[in-house]
Amino acid sequence: MKICVASDSNGGLEDTVSMQFGRCPAFTVVETEGNSIKNVYVIPNPGAAAASGAGMQAGQTVVNEGCKVLIAGAIGPNSAQVLSMGGVEMYTSPPVKIGDAVNMYLQGNLAPAQPVGGPGMGRGMGRGRGRGMGRDMGRGRGGW
């Protein structure tokens, strides 16, 4: 199975898990068989320098590489959508060495990822469409 890990710098098992997926500099791809690491290689993240759409480009790269699992510190909603559609399981990790994060995953010690910044997380002011109760209600016109 191929596991992709968002890398904080140049990648490899001694690098640190990046806390951001879409703009990390590289991906470390770890091929496993059972609970053993069989092969490790690094690929650049095309989203790292993208003006826009970084998460989608990064996600598509992981899918195209044939990875079944992604490990990162945080995964945005656009990335998560591409990864999910590509059948990639997503997990979050603290900023530890990539080799340690892979072993944590293999032992079942990583939590499934919850995409950050999803719907409803924007910075807009809202549309103000609430319907208040109490408008012109109770004017004191008792009927006694």
Side-chain angles (χ1 to χ4, degrees), residues 28-54:
T28 299
V29 179
V30 180
E31 295 177 345
T32 63
E33 190 174 297
N35 283 345
S36 300
I37 294 173
K38 295 296 181 187
N39 189 31
V40 178
Y41 60 95
V42 177
I43 57 174
N45 175 10
S52 64

Side-chain angles (χ1 to χ4, degrees), residues 38-84:
K38 295 296 181 187
N39 189 31
V40 178
Y41 60 95
V42 177
I43 57 174
N45 175 10
S52 64
M56 295 179 75
Q57 287 181 39
Q60 194 60 54
T61 299
V62 172
V63 170
N64 291 346
E65 198 63 31
C67 297
K68 297 300 178 196
V69 172
L70 170 73
I71 300 171
I75 303 165
N78 293 336
S79 304
Q81 183 177 9
V82 170
L83 292 163
S84 180

